[in-house]
C-alpha cells in the first residue's frame, strides 16, 4: 500500500496551508499599513499646520510609502498564487493515486497485525484527493476574492472596508483544515506506536 506516500501528500498540503496563513497574515498587515498611510495622507491634505511643514515633501513621502507597501502586497499575492498552483499539482498527484486504487474487499476478517492496524488508520486515496481538492478549491476561491478586492483599491471602496473583508477569509473552512491535520496526526501516531520497538 502507498500509505506513506499518501500521508506525504497530505503533509505537503498542510504545509501549503501554513504557508498560505503566513502570507495572509503578512498581506493583512500590509493592507492595514496602506489604510493607515492613506488616512494620514488624507488628514495631511486637509490639515492647516500652526508650524512650518514642508507639505509637498510630506505628501511625497506618504505617497512613496503607499506605493512601496502596495508593491510588497503584490509580491505577497504572487506567492499566494504560487501556493494555489502547488495545491493544483498535489491534487493531480492525489488523483493518480485514486485512479490506481483498486478496492479490496477481504473475504474474511484479517488477523490483527501491524499492517492491518496501519491500514485502518491510513487515509485512503479518495480521502486524500478529497482533502487536497477541497483545500485547492477553498484557496483558489479565496485568492480570486482577494484579487477582486485588491483591484477595487482604486475604486470607491474604502481601505478599511477592504481590510475587513480581506481578513475574514470567507471561503476557508477552518474545520475542514483541522480535519486534515487530525488525519495526519492520527496516522503518524499510530505508525509510531505500531512500529516502535521497546
Amino acid at each position: 500500500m502507498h500509505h506513506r506516500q499518501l500521508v506525504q501528500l497530505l503533509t505537503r498540503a498542510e504545509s501549503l496551508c501554513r504557508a498560505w496563513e503566513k502570507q495572509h497574515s503578512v498581506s493583512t498587515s500590509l493592507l492595514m499599513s496602506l489604510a493607515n498611510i492613506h488616512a494620514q495622507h488624507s488628514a495631511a491634505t486637509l490639515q492647516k499646520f500652526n508650524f512650518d511643514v514642508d507639505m509637498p515633501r510630506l505628501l511625497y513621502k506618504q505617497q512613496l510609502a503607499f506605493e512601496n507597501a502596495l508593491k510588497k502586497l503584490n509580491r505577497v499575492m504572487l506567492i499566494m498564487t504560487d501556493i494555489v498552483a502547488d495545491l493544483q499539482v498535489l491534487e493531480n498527484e492525489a488523483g493518480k493515486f485514486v485512479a490506481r486504487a483498486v478496492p479490496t474487499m477481504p473475504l474474511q476478517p484479517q488477523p490483527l497485525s501491524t499492517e492491518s492496524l496501519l491500514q485502518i488508520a491510513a487515509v485512503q486515496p479518495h480521502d486524500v484527493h478529497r482533502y487536497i481538492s477541497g483545500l485547492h478549491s477553498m484557496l483558489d476561491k479565496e485568492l480570486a476574492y482577494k484579487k477582486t478586492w485588491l483591484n477595487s483599491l482604486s475604486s470607491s471602496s474604502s481601505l478599511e472596508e477592504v481590510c475587513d473583508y480581506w481578513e475574514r477569509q470567507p471561503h476557508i473552512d477552518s474545520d475542514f483544515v483541522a480535519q486534515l491535520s487530525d488525519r495526519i496526526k492520527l496516522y503518524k501516531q499510530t505508525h509510531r506506536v505500531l512500529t516502535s520497538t521497546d
Side-chain angles (χ1 to χ4, degrees):
M1 225 22 182
H2 304 284
H3 301 307
R4 283 205 171 163
Q5 291 170 320
L6 291 170
V7 171
Q8 286 172 350
L9 283 177
L10 285 180
T11 302
R12 287 167 51 198
E14 184 182 37
S15 294
L16 289 171
C17 254
R18 283 194 302 270
W20 174 276
E21 283 305 316
K22 179 181 176 188
Q23 296 307 317
H24 176 258
S25 178
V26 170
S27 67
T28 301
S29 295
L30 286 168
L31 265 175
M32 289 179 183
S33 293
L34 286 170
N36 190 16
I37 293 165
H38 184 265
Q40 290 174 13
H41 184 79
S42 297
T45 56
L46 298 174
Q47 184 89 20
K48 298 245 187 218
F49 295 101
N50 293 334
F51 48 91
D52 191 25
V53 173
D54 185 356
M55 187 58 74
R57 183 169 184 210
L58 175 64
L59 296 177
Y60 172 76
K61 282 185 168 188
Q62 289 172 339
Q63 183 63 33
L64 192 60
F66 189 89
E67 289 171 6
N68 286 335
L70 194 54
K71 283 179 190 174
K72 288 178 184 177
L73 182 58
N74 284 320
R75 283 194 296 267
V76 169
M77 289 299 293
L78 290 175
I79 294 169
M80 293 173 104
T81 301
D82 289 344
I83 290 169
V84 171
D86 289 346
L87 272 171
Q88 176 66 60
V89 170
L90 286 183
E91 183 179 354
N92 293 341
E93 286 181 43
K96 291 175 187 175
F97 279 99
V98 171
R100 286 185 284 192
V102 178
T104 54
M105 297 289 286
L107 299 174
Q108 52 187 315
Q110 296 288 323
L112 287 180
S113 67
T114 299
E115 184 59 30
S116 66
L117 290 172
L118 282 174
Q119 284 182 6
I120 292 168
V123 183
Q124 299 305 311
H126 62 277
D127 289 329
V128 171
H129 186 264
R130 182 178 59 85
Y131 280 126
I132 294 173
S133 177
L135 281 175
H136 176 247
S137 176
M138 285 188 295
L139 294 185
D140 191 41
K141 287 176 185 172
E142 189 62 31
L143 180 66
Y145 181 77
K146 288 183 180 329
K147 285 180 178 179
T148 300
W149 279 107
L150 193 57
N151 290 335
S152 78
L153 285 179
S154 59
S155 71
S156 61
S157 299
S158 75
L159 275 166
E160 292 78 16
E161 181 183 13
V162 173
C163 286
D164 184 45
Y165 285 111
W166 190 281
E167 194 170 12
R168 287 186 202 169
Q169 296 199 98
H171 298 99
I172 297 185
D173 179 357
S174 57
D175 291 337
F176 184 83
V177 175
Q179 286 176 11
L180 168 70
S181 295
D182 291 344
R183 283 299 296 198
I184 294 168
K185 286 176 193 169
L186 174 67
Y187 178 79
K188 287 183 176 180
Q189 287 173 346
T190 304
H191 184 269
R192 188 172 37 251
V193 167
L194 294 174
T195 58
S196 67
T197 56
D198 292 340

